[in-house]
Structures are given as C-alpha cells and as structure tokens.
Amino acid sequence: MRIATYQGAGEPRLGFVVNDRIVDLQTLARRKKLSVPKDMVRLIEETPTLALRALGREADAWVKAGRESSPVSKTKLLAPIPRPAKNIFCMGRNYAEHAREGGVAPPEVPVFFTKPPTTVIGHETPVIHHRVTQSLDYEVELVAVIGRRGRDIPAAKALDYVFGYTIMNDVTARDLQRRHQQWFKGKSLDTFAPMGPWIVLRSEIPDPQKLRLSMRVNGEVRQNSTTASMLFSVAQLIETLSAGMTLECGDLLATGTPEGVGMGFNPPRWLKVGDVLEAEVESIGVLRNQIGAPAR
Ligand code: MN
C-alpha cells in the first residue's frame, strides 16, 4: 500500500497509489462516510493502521472498478512529508564498503547527523546545483518513517514504531562537507533531500534488511547493493537514536548509503546540470530528480 502527498488545486492532498493511478484519500473517505486528516503527519498520528489498510483495499477495488482516480503520470507528487517538523535524522557510514571508499574504517557505533527541513523536495523536482559547490554527489538511502512516539525503544520492538518506508537521495556537496569538518553544511543546502515518491506501509515490508537499493545517473548504475549490508540495522538505529531522546510521528530516519558514490571514483565523478538521478529501493519504487542550474 503506497500513500503519496500530491499537489491538488491550491493545497497538498493525500492519495493511495494503485498501479499507475492515484485515488484521493479525502474523496474515498467521504464516500465511505469516514473522516481522515489532510496531511501525512496527522494521518500517521490519528489514523489506526488497520483503518488505513482497510481504506487502501477500498482504493484497490475503486481502481479495479474504474471509479474516480487520476493517472500518477499527470500528478505532481510532493515529498510524502513536504515540510518535516524537524531535521531529518541521518546515518553516516552505515555500509562498510562506503566507509572504505571515503577512506575511513567502518565505525563501531552509529554516526548520526541531520539535514534541515528546507532540504526536502519531491519526486521529479530539480536538485539545484548551487554555485557554492564544485563537487556535487548522490547517495541512495532507505528511510524509515516513524509512526509512534517513543523513547528508549528496544531493538526487538523498534519496527513496531515504523509507519512505513520511503527513499531519500542524500545529496551532498563534498567540498563543503570536508571544508567545514562537520557534515551539516555540505548536506544541508536547499533541495538536497529529494524524498519519495511515496510511503509504503510497514506491513508490506516485513524485513527492511532484505531490500535491493541502487542509484542510476543518466541510466548508468553507480550504486547497487542491499540493505542486508548495513552495519547497523533499522531496528538497531532506532534503539540507539531513541535512547534518552523522544522520537515522534513523522520523524524521518535515513539509514545510510552503500558504495558507488561519485567521490569513490578516481577521478571523482561529480554531478552536472542536466544529470538525471534515479534512486531505487526494492518494494518501494524509483525516486527521480534532475540536476538544475541555480537561479540567475
Ligand atoms: Mn548519506
């Protein structure tokens, strides 16, 4: 079951994506005499998963019966959570081979950093090649969307706190990342967190450590690995991150990237204006963004 945020007439709307069609959640709920929130975070907070799955099945039937829906191809998808309430939690060096291509040993404990809400854009929205960087890079990542508030969550129960999964491209200015030592600046420029195209409910991904993930640049496969290669699993990351720190509905946890980034090539292969990036995670989909020029 895939839930997207998309641009309606004037305001963002939620929809179930069924095959290549999108069914508006409000319209569907109204026909069933139900009321559902209009934005993703409130939907996560207020709608029981069972009710949501029932509505999703209804959306399937709706599309099969040829009832009211629109083609995804004619819909402007937004990031599932267009403006997160806080920074995105991210993992550095969570795949051993990626740590090595960066010239460092794999870490013994999770390395956390964050990206501000202003980095977030949706599927098919351009990533700006800001003038301040000359070494723009990509990173495909699995993202866990937190579905339940909690602190001190044990790994054994951690996946119960996940609402669903989506994809992020952790776009990075490597020169800024190095120059400022802390990774924050180089990872935090506007448009540096393409996310989506939608959220897949946790019930459809029983084991998040068994997903292939890849990145293509202009059709050429650059990254191609599996989440089985993570040093710290999604469950372990939630346990460590939530120790003494509350996680809330709609929080986003990006779980790191495998080897194959532009920085790892000799010479490095930096992104240029016009390049098309396709970040793919098995069972979720393909997140596509083109590199755009900065505004004049
Ligand atoms: Mn990353």
Side-chain angles (χ1 to χ4, degrees), residues 90-93 98 113 139-141 168 170 172 187 254 256-257:
C90 304
M91 291 302 310
R93 300 172 182 152
H98 173 61
F113 68 93
E139 298 186 350
V140 59
E141 310 205 3
M168 183 177 88
D170 178 14
T172 305
K187 297 223 178 230
T257 202

Side-chain angles (χ1 to χ4, degrees), residues 114 116 119 132 171-173 176-177 179-190 192:
T114 71
T119 54
V132 71
V171 179
T172 305
L176 300 182
Q177 186 185 19
R179 187 181 311 154
H180 299 282
Q181 299 183 38
Q182 255 267 356
W183 297 352
F184 181 69
K185 174 66 184 177
K187 297 223 178 230
S188 297
L189 306 190
D190 292 359
F192 274 22

Side-chain angles (χ1 to χ4, degrees), residues 160 173 216:
D160 296 347
R216 293 183 293 276

Side-chain angles (χ1 to χ4, degrees), residues 150-155 157 161 238-247:
R151 191 175 67 194
D152 300 320
I153 302 163
K157 291 193 172 155
Y161 287 75
I238 289 173
E239 175 177 285
T240 309
L241 189 60
S242 71
M245 188 182 102
T246 301
L247 296 182

Side-chain angles (χ1 to χ4, degrees), residues 129-241:
H129 194 316
H130 296 282
R131 290 193 184 86
V132 71
T133 179
Q134 277 73 52
S135 51
L136 192 63
D137 209 347
Y138 52 82
E139 298 186 350
V140 59
E141 310 205 3
L142 171 70
V143 173
V145 182
I146 299 298
R148 203 171 135 190
R149 185 185 173 87
R151 191 175 67 194
D152 300 320
I153 302 163
K157 291 193 172 155
L159 297 185
D160 296 347
Y161 287 75
V162 174
F163 173 75
Y165 298 93
T166 188
I167 306 169
M168 183 177 88
N169 184 350
D170 178 14
V171 179
T172 305
R174 299 290 178 202
D175 41 5
L176 300 182
Q177 186 185 19
R178 266 192 303 273
R179 187 181 311 154
H180 299 282
Q181 299 183 38
Q182 255 267 356
W183 297 352
F184 181 69
K185 174 66 184 177
K187 297 223 178 230
S188 297
L189 306 190
D190 292 359
T191 72
F192 274 22
M195 211 169 315
W198 39 65
I199 294 173
V200 172
L201 289 193
R202 166 171 52 102
S203 52
E204 315 225 334
I205 300 183
D207 186 352
Q209 307 309 136
K210 282 188 180 163
L211 304 173
R212 286 217 74 82
L213 75 174
S214 63
M215 173 67 80
R216 293 183 293 276
V217 180
N218 302 326
E220 179 191 341
V221 178
R222 298 281 189 87
Q223 295 181 284
N224 185 12
S225 185
T226 146
T227 56
S229 299
M230 282 185 196
L231 293 170
F232 305 99
S233 67
V234 174
Q236 288 171 309
L237 293 175
I238 289 173
E239 175 177 285
T240 309
L241 189 60

Side-chain angles (χ1 to χ4, degrees), residues 1-3 14-19 21-25 27-29 32 51-69:
M1 208 157 284
R2 303 176 288 173
I3 308 178
L14 298 176
F16 284 109
V17 179
V18 180
N19 305 324
R21 309 289 297 183
I22 191 157
V23 180
D24 183 70
L25 204 64
T27 309
L28 183 68
K32 304 306 286 181
L52 206 51
R53 288 170 66 183
L55 263 181
R57 283 192 297 274
E58 201 62 48
D60 286 347
W62 200 263
V63 168
K64 274 198 194 98
R67 301 179 73 173
E68 212 176 324
S69 68

